[in-house]
Amino acid sequence: MGIGEEKLARMRHSMAHVMASGVLTMFPDAKIAIGPAIENGFYYDFDLPRRLKPEDLQVIEGHMTQLIEEDYPFERESISRADALRLFRNQPYKIELIKDLPEGEELSIYRMGSFTDLCRGPHVQSTGKLCPQGFKLISIAGAYWRGSERRPMLQRVYGTAWHDSKALRMHLAYLEEIEKRDHRRLGRELDLFSLHEQVGAGLVHWHPKGARIRVLVEDFWRAEHYRNGYEMVFTPHVGKSWLWETSGHLDFYAESMYPSIQMDRSDYYIKPMNCPFHVMIYNSGKHSYRDLPYRWAELGTVYRYERSGTLHGLLRVRGFTQDDAHLICTPNQMQGEIREVLRFSLYMLRSFGFREIAAYLSTMPEKAVGEPKRWEAAQNSLREAVESEKLEYEVDEGGGAFYGPKIDLKVRDALGRIWQLSTIQFDFNLPDRFDMVFTDSDGVEKRPYMIHRALFGSMERFFGVMIENYGGAFPVWLSPVQAVLIPVALNLGDYAGEVVREMRRKDIRAEADLGNERLNAKIRNHQIQKVPYMLIVGERERENRSVSIRTREGEKSSLSIDEAVEMIQKKISAKE
Ligand SMILES: [Zn+2]
Ligand SMILES: [Zn+2]
C-alpha cells in the first residue's frame, strides 16, 4: 500500500466510526458489528430494530456531517479484556469479538465524541480532518454476521469517501457507469437471459437474443479450435461414484458437488468437472508417443454447489458451461504445447476486444503431489511462455493448487476493472490416479503430461463480462439484430420487408419494425436495444432503392441497398 492509499484507508475507516456514531444517534439501541475500510470506501454492519430505507441514508449523512463539523478527536485508550467486556456489555457482537481474543491480551478502544469502538486503529486525528463534501453513503445490503449463513443477517451500509468533493464526484460518475452496464440490468433490458428462484438459484436461462450471441461465440470457438489442432469430444453429465472416487473429487471436492442420485444400487453424481471423462476417453485405448499430443475440447456443462450468498447474476452461478480442453502430451512436447495454448488464449481474448491482459503464475505449494522435477519443468515452461509473449506477469510463489502449477490470465475491461478469464493448469494428480500411460520411443510406458485449460472460463461468466465490457452494445458480428428497417409510413411496409429479405439472403440479421409507434419512438426503442443499424425508409428511398442509415452512435448516411449490404457485411467479417 502506498502512502496515499494508506492515508485514504485511514480516512475511510475513520468515516466508518463516524457513520456508526450517526446510526447510533438514529437508533440508540443499534447493535454494531464491524466497520472496515474497503476499496473506495468503507462499510459498517448493524443489527437494527427495523430495515433501513434509502431515505435513511440522508439522515445518517446529516448526522455524519455534523460530527465532522464539530471536530471530535479520536482518542485511543488501552483497556483490559475484563474492562472491555464490561464496557461493551450491551453490544453482543463486540462481546463475541472480545471473547475470541486471547486471554490477557491488552485491547484498545477509540473514543470519538460519544461513540466508543473496539478497534486497533489507526484513524485520522479528529473528525475535522475528514472532508464533509467528500463522502456519500451508497447502499444498504444484507450481510451475515461473520459471513456465516447460520448467524444473524445484519444490515451493511456502504459508503464512499475521498479527500475532496471533486474526487467524490468522479467516483460517483464511475459508479453510475458501472450501474448502467450491470449485466443483470442489461440482461433484462435487452432480453438476453433470466434466472428463476422457482427453478433453482444460479441456473441460467438463455433467451433467444442471448442464445443467438452464445451460438455465435460457440461457433467461433469451435472453428478456431479445429484450426488450432483440437478435436471436440462430448461426455456424459453424470458419472458413478467409482469415477469420482478414482479422480479424488469425492475426497477433496465433495462440498462443491450436488448430492448423489441413487439408481441401480449405484450412486451417480452430476459432474462438477469434465476432466475424468476425458481421461476415460484416453484410457479407452493404447497410445504411442507418435499419437500425442491430444487436444480435446468440450463445451462441457457442469454443476457446482456455490453458497447462495455468493451467487451473482451470470458471474457466479451453479450451472455453467466451461469452454474446457485437456492437453495430453509427452514431456518433450510440453514446452511447445504450453507456448501454443497461451498464444491461442491471447488470440481468443483479443478477438473479443480485450487488449490489456496480464498473467498470474502460481507455483508449487507446500502440500503437493507429483515429482518436484516435473513441477520445476512445468513452471519453467509456463514462465517461458509468458515471457515469450511479452506479457506482464506476477508470480504467486507457493500459490498453486496441490496438483500442479498454473497461469491465470486477467483482462482489464472498458471501465478499468480486472476480470480473471483464462486458466492454464497442469495436473500431476489425475494421470497418476487413473494410471494414464503412453509408450515412449524407447518402448517404455511413461506418464504423459496433462494440462487443463479454459479460455473464457465459462460461457455464462464470459457473457456477463462481455455484456458489461460492451455496455450491451455488442459489435456488429455479435449483435442479435444487426439492422432494423423502419418505414416512415404504413404503406412502405412492403418495401421494408423486401429489404429485410434481401439482407437475410446475405446473412445479415435484419428485421422490420412495422409497429404503430411514431418514428422517433421507434428510433429510441432500437437505440435502447443497441441495434447497430437503423435503416429508415420513406417514399424517396423506395424510389431510389436505397435506405437512410442511422447508427446506434447517431451517425447518419444514405446508401443504396447493395451498398448498405456490403457495408454491414464488411463490419461483420471484420469482427470489430
Ligand atoms: Zn477504528
Ligand atoms: Zn480439467
Side-chain angles (χ1 to χ4, degrees):
M1 223 195 284
I3 293 174
E5 280 171 70
E6 221 166 275
K7 268 180 78 181
L8 270 170
R10 178 187 296 228
M11 182 266 279
R12 285 167 181 159
H13 170 67
S14 305
M15 275 289 186
H17 283 246
V18 173
M19 174 168 73
S21 177
V23 168
L24 276 167
T25 307
M26 235 180 130
F27 303 100
D29 295 333
K31 305 294 175 227
I32 57 173
I34 52 162
I38 52 173
E39 204 188 353
N40 303 325
F42 58 92
Y43 69 77
Y44 213 113
D45 288 347
F46 304 100
D47 192 342
L48 300 176
R50 68 160 171 85
R51 242 184 134 84
L52 286 174
K53 298 180 292 248
E55 311 87 89
D56 294 328
L57 296 185
Q58 280 160 28
V59 180
I60 301 169
E61 281 171 355
H63 291 310
M64 292 172 72
T65 306
Q66 200 181 340
L67 287 165
I68 293 171
E69 277 162 6
E70 287 167 6
D71 195 14
Y72 295 102
F74 279 90
E75 289 167 320
R76 184 179 188 282
E77 201 178 302
S78 293
I79 182 172
S80 71
R81 197 165 176 275
D83 285 344
L85 288 171
R86 232 183 332 266
L87 182 64
F88 290 103
R89 63 189 175 278
N90 294 325
Q91 290 292 346
Y93 301 101
K94 296 291 176 192
I95 294 289
E96 188 177 328
L97 293 174
I98 295 165
K99 284 186 173 162
D100 278 359
L101 294 169
E103 202 82 50
E105 188 172 285
E106 204 189 58
L107 311 178
S108 67
I109 56 168
Y110 278 83
R111 296 184 194 278
M112 179 273 295
S114 62
F115 178 71
T116 305
D117 205 348
L118 175 77
C119 186
R120 252 183 249 112
H123 305 92
V124 295
Q125 235 171 36
S126 67
T127 57
K129 301 278 184 235
L130 303 168
C131 174
Q133 287 89 37
F135 79 94
K136 188 167 173 49
L137 301 185
I138 299 282
S139 61
I140 308 154
Y144 289 108
W145 169 234
R146 305 197 124 175
S148 163
E149 286 161 47
R150 283 182 290 271
R151 307 302 307 274
M153 169 74 92
L154 306 176
Q155 299 192 72
R156 175 171 297 175
V157 180
Y158 285 100
T160 186
W162 302 83
H163 285 311
D164 56 31
S165 58
K166 189 173 162 223
L168 173 67
R169 272 201 309 278
M170 277 173 59
H171 182 67
L172 293 178
Y174 173 75
L175 289 184
E176 203 177 306
E177 190 58 33
I178 287 183
E179 168 63 24
K180 260 197 274 177
R181 286 172 181 248
D182 187 311
H183 72 281
R184 295 166 299 177
R185 171 180 172 166
L186 284 170
R188 255 191 324 271
E189 286 173 7
L190 304 179
D191 195 16
L192 300 174
F193 70 90
S194 59
L195 293 116
H196 304 275
E197 199 52 52
Q198 304 95 311
V199 176
L203 303 173
V204 181
H205 300 62
W206 296 69
H207 296 201
K209 284 183 178 159
R212 171 70 83 164
I213 297 170
R214 174 165 169 172
V215 167
L216 289 159
V217 173
E218 286 190 6
D219 287 351
F220 174 74
W221 185 92
R222 282 197 191 88
E224 290 298 333
H225 276 73
Y226 279 128
R227 279 174 62 183
N228 282 275
Y230 285 75
E231 290 297 334
M232 295 295 143
V233 296
F234 295 93
T235 62
H237 289 237
V238 294
K240 288 206 290 200
S241 49
W242 176 86
L243 188 72
W244 308 110
E245 277 158 15
T246 309
S247 69
H249 284 97
L250 282 179
D251 286 336
F252 60 78
Y253 203 72
E255 276 179 16
S256 299
M257 293 169 70
Y258 273 57
S260 65
I261 306 163
Q262 275 89 38
M263 193 176 70
D264 291 347
R265 267 166 287 148
S266 293
D267 283 338
Y268 286 81
Y269 289 87
I270 304 174
K271 67 175 167 184
M273 294 188 191
N274 306 298
C275 337
F277 298 95
H278 291 201
V279 174
M280 293 307 290
I281 296 177
Y282 183 85
N283 278 355
S284 66
K286 289 214 169 294
H287 308 281
S288 128
Y289 70 99
R290 275 187 239 99
D291 306 321
L292 270 43
Y294 293 122
R295 303 182 194 104
W296 290 339
E298 176 174 15
L299 289 167
T301 302
V302 299
Y303 291 86
R304 294 182 188 170
Y305 176 72
E306 299 273 1
R307 288 195 328 193
S308 61
T310 64
L311 299 173
H312 180 84
L314 295 174
L315 300 179
R316 193 94 180 237
V317 292
R318 284 184 178 165
F320 53 97
T321 301
Q322 291 183 297
D323 67 318
D324 208 356
H326 294 95
L327 312 174
I328 303 169
C329 65
T330 70
N332 287 338
Q333 294 163 341
M334 185 263 283
Q335 177 87 60
E337 286 303 305
I338 291 296
R339 213 186 272 188
E340 231 358 73
V341 71
L342 179 64
R343 190 200 55 74
F344 186 35
S345 308
L346 294 171
Y347 166 75
M348 293 294 277
L349 296 179
R350 286 171 184 148
S351 299
F352 289 89
F354 297 109
R355 297 272 162 245
E356 272 188 70
I357 305 172
Y360 294 77
L361 171 61
S362 306
T363 62
M364 188 168 178
E366 258 176 52
K367 267 186 73 184
V369 299
E371 300 159 44
K373 224 174 56 206
R374 284 205 156 202
W375 276 85
E376 187 74 29
Q379 284 165 193
N380 286 341
S381 76
L382 292 173
R383 194 186 300 264
E384 197 272 342
V386 169
E387 282 171 1
S388 81
E389 290 294 336
K390 299 191 170 53
L391 281 185
E392 253 185 65
Y393 74 101
E394 277 174 33
V395 182
D396 182 3
E397 287 295 350
F402 74 90
Y403 51 88
K406 66 168 177 175
I407 302 176
D408 291 324
L409 296 182
K410 300 190 187 182
V411 302
R412 190 182 286 277
D413 76 1
L415 292 185
R417 294 172 302 173
I418 305 286
W419 304 92
Q420 197 223 301
L421 296 175
S422 313
T423 299
I424 300 167
Q425 166 83 62
F426 274 90
D427 193 330
F428 300 130
N429 186 44
L430 288 186
D432 275 351
R433 283 180 164 266
F434 281 92
D435 195 23
M436 294 165 73
V437 292
F438 72 98
T439 308
D440 207 351
S441 52
D442 53 10
V444 178
E445 282 197 336
K446 294 179 185 166
R447 263 298 167 259
Y449 273 93
M450 179 173 181
I451 298 142
H452 313 261
R453 60 107 267 213
L455 306 183
F456 301 149
S458 78
M459 300 310 288
E460 284 74 8
R461 188 159 178 284
F462 189 65
F463 191 38
V465 173
M466 263 203 307
I467 294 170
E468 300 208 356
N469 185 46
Y470 290 128
F474 287 93
V476 181
W477 77 283
L478 290 174
S479 290
V481 177
Q482 292 165 323
V484 61
L485 267 290
I486 309 174
V488 299
L490 281 179
N491 64 334
L492 292 156
D494 288 347
Y495 175 59
E498 200 185 311
V499 179
V500 165
R501 279 192 298 281
E502 176 61 17
M503 293 205 149
R504 286 187 178 172
R505 262 198 297 278
K506 302 281 169 59
D507 291 326
I508 293 169
R509 293 185 289 278
E511 282 177 4
D513 182 347
L514 304 178
N516 289 325
E517 292 102 328
R518 302 178 65 93
L519 180 64
N520 280 341
K522 286 185 181 180
I523 290 177
R524 206 178 47 243
N525 285 344
H526 298 299
Q527 193 90 36
I528 290 169
Q529 290 299 310
K530 305 188 196 290
V531 176
Y533 299 105
M534 284 160 264
L535 311 179
I536 297 145
V537 294
E539 287 297 350
R540 199 175 43 178
E541 280 76 19
R542 177 164 63 182
E543 261 163 49
N544 305 337
R545 314 279 308 151
S546 70
V547 290
S548 180
I549 299 181
R550 196 178 188 289
T551 68
R552 64 186 162 198
E553 292 81 27
E555 292 156 22
K556 291 175 189 166
S557 60
S558 186
L559 293 177
S560 73
I561 299 176
D562 288 347
E563 287 166 341
V565 165
E566 196 186 331
M567 187 270 294
I568 296 174
Q569 278 179 328
K570 257 193 201 147
K571 283 277 183 199
I572 293 171
S573 57
K575 291 198 168 63
E576 58 191 19

